[in-house]
Amino acid sequence: MPERFQETQDLNWFSEKFVSDDVLILSWDGCHLDDPRQTELTQQLQQPVDLAGEQNVQLFRFVTSGSDLVAQLTSEPLSLKKSQAIARLNGWLVGAPHAAGQPVTSSVVMMLTDEGWRLRDATIQHVQATAQQIVGVSRDQIHIAGTTYDGLAIDEASQKDMGWFTAVCYVICCIVLYLSFRSIKLSAFVFLNAVYCQTISLAMISFGGQTMDSVMLMVPSLVFVLSISAGVHLVNNYQDVVLADGLTEAPRKAIRNAFAPCWLSSFTTSLGLISLISSFLLPIQKFGLFAAIGVLLGTAVLFLLFPCQLEQWPPRRWASRLAGGGADLRNAISQRMVDSIARWWPLILLSTAIAMTIGVIGITRLQSTARVHDLFAPGAKILQDYEWFESHVGPLTPVEIVLRIPKATIAESTSRTPMLDRMNLVRQVQHAAMRVDDIGGTVSAVNFSPSFPDTFRSGSRGIGQIAQRIVLEQRFTDLREMFREMQYFQDDDTEELWRISARVPTSEEIDLGRVGDQLQVAIDSVIEELAPQQGVRSVVCGSMPLIQKAQEQLLDDMARSFITAFALIAVAMMVTLRSIGAGLMAMVSNVLPSVILFGLLGWLGIKVEIGSMMTITAAMGIAVDDTLHFVTWFRRGAAAGLIKHDALVYAFRHCSRAMLQTSMICGLGLLVYAFSPFTPIARFAWLMSSMLGVALIGDLIVLPAIISSRLGNSFLPRR
């Protein structure tokens, strides 16, 4: 999320004042409060280690366990009963006792140092290995959660089997290329050029000073399949030239014929991708920028390499086999397709309008998600660990509440026990938070302080109560430094900061917006009751507000990038076709895939996540490729004197085969990644493949139907 968002600023401010987002929590099957292995594990993890080629590294600045904290709470100075100590830690580090005498689940919590964060992959591996060694259980019986582990799990899931997916994608593309061209030489040219373009896109990311993330991983694959697509169109142009004029100067003629449609397609595709930089989500911005640049560079590379390869190593055997009956068959199929479309164009356009209307209604039902659970395939280890913790200990998604109390207000207070008053304010806010639906365990300085009656009020009279308040005031004052060390209290020259840490479930579908609104109302009501007119403010931050903001932003960004892409591509189409009407009508076949597929997601209740959001504009930009090729050949036929019907046949004959081939190659090549265990990559893959299929229908059926109608006259070149 960008720094200008209030949620990001609040989280960064919280990290500076208290702790950064670097928490790990660990437990295992059979980990109970009385398990002595907790103490041994915490002691071992606090020791400096030699890790990742570095010596004597301190990985954690704070390590504790449920048993350690229970022991602390039951000893001086608090001297709580064990049941009271367990109740104070319930939902945070220990679970609730199911029945008297039954063991209580416990856990170990760790906060990383800067070195531990920098080496977090090795740190988590060290934690797992140490836990297995000390506890003596298998990896499947050890459960880890926390924001640090989330990042590692995302990295692992997004990169898992990517090498195999890429290899299978290569094999599929090679097979389809050979079946399409029946030439090993031409197939090798197209494939190797695409691999070279893919490599350039990787180098471009590196030279741009960027690192690969779970979203950027799809940039090289997208550049690869789009380079394959451009190469297929070049080969088909080359084939038409060879059939008509032979091998002599065929590369030059093919490049001349393909130059305008290929570069226009590349330009409009890059417009669709570059529209993603309007997103407020930084990974989406980077994806759109580097994918757009990669497409343009790839096209430039293809137009440099391909004619040189054909000139140096002309496919003579392939050329000699072309003089067969294939052209006559293609002409017959093209004639039959256009005849059918010309006969049924009213029904085709009516069906398209109905389908798009249903799709638009479905889009209005779309919902988004940014939950960790929705990033992984069902059954992933991280999901199992989260479910284990939330069923045995408590919720895990943090909601941080910070009360900001001005020191000027404290200095002006006439109360004899201002410290006790502030502790009471913290306690009442904590109680109010617990009453909000879906808020689980909460913890604050109150959990580690002496008990005091709920009925205490600053205006209480009586010698006994006054004396008790004075004693508690002194005890709370003495505990300030302990609260500071435990990161539940901080202060500076102007204010005191009191932290209340709450949790909401990660594995359950809850309305985070509702929880946040109810929580803020509950906090404000307590402040208004106990500290009116004292300048006390509250900040609600942590993962929950950020997740909620990201979910809201996903749909906003998707709509913004779609409108931006539509406007940019539509203007480009109008300029290219020199007609406002033709440019807008040509966009119907390009918008059709997004409306149909995302409308279907809305009707099925499938939530949009970051991978889905990228496809809606990327698919529009890719769909324009075939639209431009088809319209270009149609206008060439019309410019040569053909009537509209025959110009459509001419366009079908020259580019329908390439359109089928590119859709099959790109669709099947990307579909391989649908098996990724990382949901955004999988969703991006199958949505893109599906959209390419719908786009092919739009370009070969809907677009010719529009041209066959009276509206299609605007596509004819001006004479």
Side-chain angles (χ1 to χ4, degrees), residues 304-586:
L304 286 173
L305 290 182
F306 195 62
C308 298
Q309 293 162 338
L310 293 176
E311 192 69 35
Q312 184 68 26
W313 301 287
R316 302 185 186 280
R317 292 184 181 179
W318 170 81
S320 64
R321 297 195 303 266
L322 287 181
D328 294 336
L329 177 61
R330 193 158 66 249
N331 290 339
I333 294 175
S334 299
Q335 184 70 51
R336 191 175 305 167
M337 282 288 296
V338 174
D339 290 344
S340 298
I341 292 171
R343 184 183 306 114
W344 298 104
W345 69 261
L347 181 60
I348 293 172
L349 296 185
L350 178 62
S351 301
T352 302
I354 293 173
M356 292 187 71
T357 301
I358 295 173
V360 169
I361 297 173
I363 288 175
T364 62
R365 302 163 59 95
L366 276 176
Q367 295 180 322
S368 59
T369 178
R371 297 190 319 140
V372 171
H373 268 58
D374 295 318
L375 300 180
F376 299 93
K381 182 65 169 65
I382 184 175
L383 302 187
Q384 296 176 8
D385 287 346
Y386 266 100
E387 291 168 3
W388 188 94
F389 272 110
E390 297 197 338
S391 62
H392 288 79
V393 179
L396 289 174
T397 300
V399 186
E400 302 292 351
I401 305 165
V402 180
L403 298 179
R404 307 180 67 172
I405 305 176
K407 284 193 171 180
T409 299
I410 299 172
E412 295 169 0
S413 174
T414 58
S415 172
R416 295 182 181 179
T417 54
M419 183 68 176
L420 182 57
D421 293 340
R422 300 198 294 280
M423 291 296 294
N424 186 54
L425 176 63
V426 172
R427 181 178 62 177
Q428 295 304 324
V429 170
Q430 186 173 355
H431 288 174
M434 283 296 294
R435 290 192 292 269
V436 174
D437 292 340
D438 296 313
I439 291 287
T442 59
V443 62
S444 71
V446 174
N447 293 64
F448 305 96
S449 64
S451 300
F452 54 102
D454 291 337
T455 56
F456 258 159
R457 295 290 185 270
S458 60
S460 300
R461 296 294 183 264
I463 296 177
Q465 284 205 359
I466 292 175
Q468 188 178 5
R469 288 177 62 84
I470 292 174
V471 170
L472 284 171
E473 174 78 9
Q474 186 59 49
R475 294 187 67 183
F476 285 140
T477 302
D478 293 341
L479 290 171
R480 280 167 57 102
E481 290 308 311
M482 185 187 78
F483 297 155
R484 191 193 307 275
E485 291 176 3
M486 299 186 73
Q487 298 291 320
Y488 290 105
F489 166 77
Q490 294 292 342
D491 66 343
D492 55 30
D493 295 337
T494 60
E495 61 183 356
E496 287 188 353
L497 307 175
W498 293 87
R499 172 192 175 199
I500 302 157
S501 184
R503 298 288 187 271
V504 294
T506 302
S507 57
E508 298 179 11
E509 291 277 358
I510 61 174
D511 186 346
L512 296 179
R514 174 190 57 79
V515 173
D517 293 340
Q518 292 181 357
L519 183 60
Q520 192 63 63
V521 169
I523 296 169
D524 291 343
S525 64
V526 172
I527 294 175
E528 182 63 28
E529 178 186 354
L530 298 182
Q533 313 268 327
Q534 295 183 20
V536 178
R537 294 177 294 159
S538 65
V539 176
V540 178
C541 55
S543 294
M544 190 199 76
L546 211 59
I547 292 172
Q548 174 62 22
K549 182 64 176 180
Q551 291 182 166
E552 296 172 355
Q553 204 60 48
L554 273 175
L555 290 180
D556 292 345
D557 284 3
M558 188 173 73
R560 184 185 300 104
S561 62
F562 181 81
I563 293 172
T564 303
F566 180 89
L568 292 174
I569 295 174
V571 170
M573 296 290 283
M574 293 174 193
V575 172
T576 301
L577 301 178
R578 299 180 182 179
S579 169
I580 295 175
L584 290 175
M585 284 185 288

Side-chain angles (χ1 to χ4, degrees), residues 33-34 65-89 94 446-451 475 482 486:
L33 274 178
D34 298 327
S65 67
S67 61
D68 291 340
L69 289 180
V70 167
Q72 179 180 341
L73 292 173
T74 54
S75 60
E76 292 290 342
L78 299 183
S79 302
L80 300 178
K81 295 180 180 179
K82 186 175 181 179
S83 59
Q84 293 175 318
I86 292 173
R88 292 194 178 191
L89 299 177
V94 304
V446 174
N447 293 64
F448 305 96
S449 64
S451 300
R475 294 187 67 183
M482 185 187 78
M486 299 186 73

Side-chain angles (χ1 to χ4, degrees), residues 168-433:
V168 174
C169 176
Y170 285 171
V171 171
I172 290 175
C173 289
C174 287
I175 292 174
V176 179
L177 283 172
Y178 178 76
L179 293 176
S180 300
F181 304 148
R182 300 292 179 176
S183 168
I184 294 178
K185 185 178 292 185
L186 287 176
S187 301
F189 289 163
V190 174
F191 173 75
L192 293 175
N193 290 345
V195 172
Y196 185 57
C197 294
Q198 181 183 34
T199 308
I200 288 177
S201 69
L202 281 168
M204 176 182 62
I205 294 171
S206 176
F207 290 138
Q210 301 294 323
T211 56
M212 296 296 288
D213 56 39
S214 56
V215 175
M216 292 282 281
L217 278 172
M218 290 306 297
V219 170
S221 300
L222 186 62
V223 171
F224 171 76
V225 296
L226 291 178
S227 300
I228 288 278
S229 175
V232 169
H233 280 288
L234 284 173
V235 170
N236 277 273
N237 275 278
Y238 180 71
Q239 180 174 321
D240 291 339
V241 171
V242 171
L243 273 171
D245 304 323
L247 285 173
T248 304
E249 294 190 350
R252 181 180 61 83
K253 295 177 182 178
I255 290 297
R256 184 182 60 196
N257 290 341
F259 188 86
C262 283
W263 269 107
L264 285 172
S265 299
S266 177
F267 177 68
T268 52
T269 299
S270 65
L271 288 179
L273 292 167
I274 204 70
S275 68
L276 291 172
I277 66 173
S278 65
S279 170
F280 285 115
L281 300 175
L282 301 182
I284 298 290
Q285 292 179 15
K286 292 195 299 180
F287 174 86
L289 176 62
F290 283 98
I293 297 174
V295 168
L296 293 174
L297 283 178
T299 304
V301 168
L302 290 177
F303 272 83
L304 286 173
L305 290 182
F306 195 62
C308 298
Q309 293 162 338
L310 293 176
E311 192 69 35
Q312 184 68 26
W313 301 287
R316 302 185 186 280
R317 292 184 181 179
W318 170 81
S320 64
R321 297 195 303 266
L322 287 181
D328 294 336
L329 177 61
R330 193 158 66 249
N331 290 339
I333 294 175
S334 299
Q335 184 70 51
R336 191 175 305 167
M337 282 288 296
V338 174
D339 290 344
S340 298
I341 292 171
R343 184 183 306 114
W344 298 104
W345 69 261
L347 181 60
I348 293 172
L349 296 185
L350 178 62
S351 301
T352 302
I354 293 173
M356 292 187 71
T357 301
I358 295 173
V360 169
I361 297 173
I363 288 175
T364 62
R365 302 163 59 95
L366 276 176
Q367 295 180 322
S368 59
T369 178
R371 297 190 319 140
V372 171
H373 268 58
D374 295 318
L375 300 180
F376 299 93
K381 182 65 169 65
I382 184 175
L383 302 187
Q384 296 176 8
D385 287 346
Y386 266 100
E387 291 168 3
W388 188 94
F389 272 110
E390 297 197 338
S391 62
H392 288 79
V393 179
L396 289 174
T397 300
V399 186
E400 302 292 351
I401 305 165
V402 180
L403 298 179
R404 307 180 67 172
I405 305 176
K407 284 193 171 180
T409 299
I410 299 172
E412 295 169 0
S413 174
T414 58
S415 172
R416 295 182 181 179
T417 54
M419 183 68 176
L420 182 57
D421 293 340
R422 300 198 294 280
M423 291 296 294
N424 186 54
L425 176 63
V426 172
R427 181 178 62 177
Q428 295 304 324
V429 170
Q430 186 173 355
H431 288 174

